Amino acid sequence: EAQVTQNPRYLITVTGKKLTVTCSQNMNHEYMSWYRQDPGLGLRQIYYSMNVEVTDKGDVPEGYKVSRKEKRNFPLILESPSPNQTSLYFCASSSGERVKPQHFGDGTRLSIL
Amino acid sequence: AQTVTQSQPEMSVQEAETVTLSCTYDTSESDYYLFWYKQPPSRQMILVIRQEAYKQQNATENRFSVNFQKAAKSFSLKISDSQLGDAAMYFCAYRSAPGSARQLTFGSGTQLTVLP
């Protein structure tokens, strides 16, 4: 089954404690992205990757890091989380082919106290 | 940069009736794609319908159809014969043509309530 898998689904942690949200896709997609969803703002892109070792900033990259060492994995790293990073996070992947939609993971609810 | 605007934060519709959700966007590109995504309380992002900008014909998927007005940069979603299961947050999204580095740009969403 084609899917994007995010872990964890929920996380409550404290300010300053480094965390990583993993994302893995089994569709051999070139494109992967991270979004955050906040009330009244929709989904905003944090980082995206067009292929292995190719990443770039989206609209709200501050406070986040990513890496793309393998095609299937695209982890999101919060080196020193702060309360303003409390949000719902989505990973997505796509093939980049014409009109092919993105496949989304089920989301990760992060709460930074 | 592209922007997507959904001016209706909340909408409600009576079961079996028709509702239209509005979306406008701003772009200087001529080749792009538009999508409507549904997000139920389970928070999954579910693709409802897609439209390619170079196609003049409006997309239709069962009870869901769009009114795509390219010159006006408008992309509304019509839901016919509304069902309780249609209750969700709906997001309009824009995507540049292949080869672009950017992915989806989303609107702020419209929360749809379906009244029994």
Side-chain angles (χ1 to χ4, degrees):
Chain A
E1 181 190 351
Q3 59 184 10
V4 177
T5 304
Q6 291 179 231
N7 280 297
R9 293 290 309 279
Y10 301 89
L11 179 63
I12 302 174
T13 188
V14 296
T15 299
K17 186 176 181 181
K18 180 179 178 180
L19 67 91
T20 299
V21 184
T22 63
C23 174
S24 180
Q25 50 95 2
N26 63 359
M27 295 163 280
N28 201 37
H29 284 166
E30 289 82 13
Y31 291 83
M32 297 187 76
S33 298
W34 276 104
Y35 298 87
R36 62 176 288 174
Q37 181 181 351
D38 301 290
L41 297 176
L43 283 78
R44 295 176 293 167
Q45 191 177 61
I46 303 171
Y47 269 95
Y48 58 94
S49 171
M50 295 179 71
N51 216 322
V52 176
E53 302 293 359
V54 181
T55 63
D56 208 347
K57 297 177 181 179
D59 297 317
V60 288
E62 294 77 22
Y64 304 95
K65 284 176 57 177
V66 294
S67 68
R68 188 94 182 271
K69 294 184 171 58
E70 303 167 282
K71 198 171 187 179
R72 62 182 291 123
N73 296 324
F74 191 45
L76 179 69
I77 303 158
L78 285 72
E79 294 270 2
S80 183
S82 62
N84 64 11
Q85 293 177 298
T86 293
S87 188
L88 177 60
Y89 291 85
F90 286 97
C91 180
S93 74
S94 66
S95 67
E97 292 177 52
R98 198 168 190 87
V99 89
K100 292 292 185 182
Q102 294 203 341
H103 293 252
F104 283 86
D106 288 339
T108 296
R109 174 72 69 183
L110 279 183
S111 294
I112 317 294
L113 305 177
Chain B
Q2 295 80 26
T3 59
V4 178
T5 302
Q6 293 178 250
S7 59
Q8 307 154 315
E10 298 176 345
M11 292 279 286
S12 63
V13 63
Q14 207 72 36
E15 195 175 5
E17 297 294 309
T18 296
V19 65
T20 298
L21 308 184
S22 66
C23 172
T24 58
Y25 58 94
D26 189 23
T27 184
S28 59
E29 299 174 333
S30 59
D31 191 11
Y32 51 87
Y33 315 101
L34 296 163
F35 302 87
W36 279 98
Y37 281 88
K38 169 185 177 181
Q39 187 181 48
S42 67
R43 77 188 191 205
Q44 287 179 298
M45 293 293 288
I46 302 167
L47 178 66
V48 175
I49 200 165
R50 73 191 85 174
Q51 175 81 42
E52 295 178 77
Y54 71 87
K55 289 186 177 179
Q56 293 193 347
Q57 186 174 5
N58 289 324
T60 299
E61 290 284 345
N62 301 313
R63 298 182 294 106
F64 299 86
S65 61
V66 298
N67 183 6
F68 174 48
Q69 302 289 330
K70 191 173 185 179
K73 298 179 182 175
S74 172
F75 183 60
S76 60
L77 174 70
K78 185 171 83 171
I79 307 174
S80 304
D81 185 25
S82 297
Q83 301 175 359
L84 295 177
D86 295 333
M89 178 72 84
Y90 287 82
F91 291 100
C92 178
Y94 173 104
R95 179 179 177 181
S96 295
S100 167
R102 288 305 309 271
Q103 298 292 286
L104 290 168
T105 300
F106 286 86
S108 56
T110 296
Q111 182 69 51
L112 179 66
T113 301
V114 180
L115 304 169

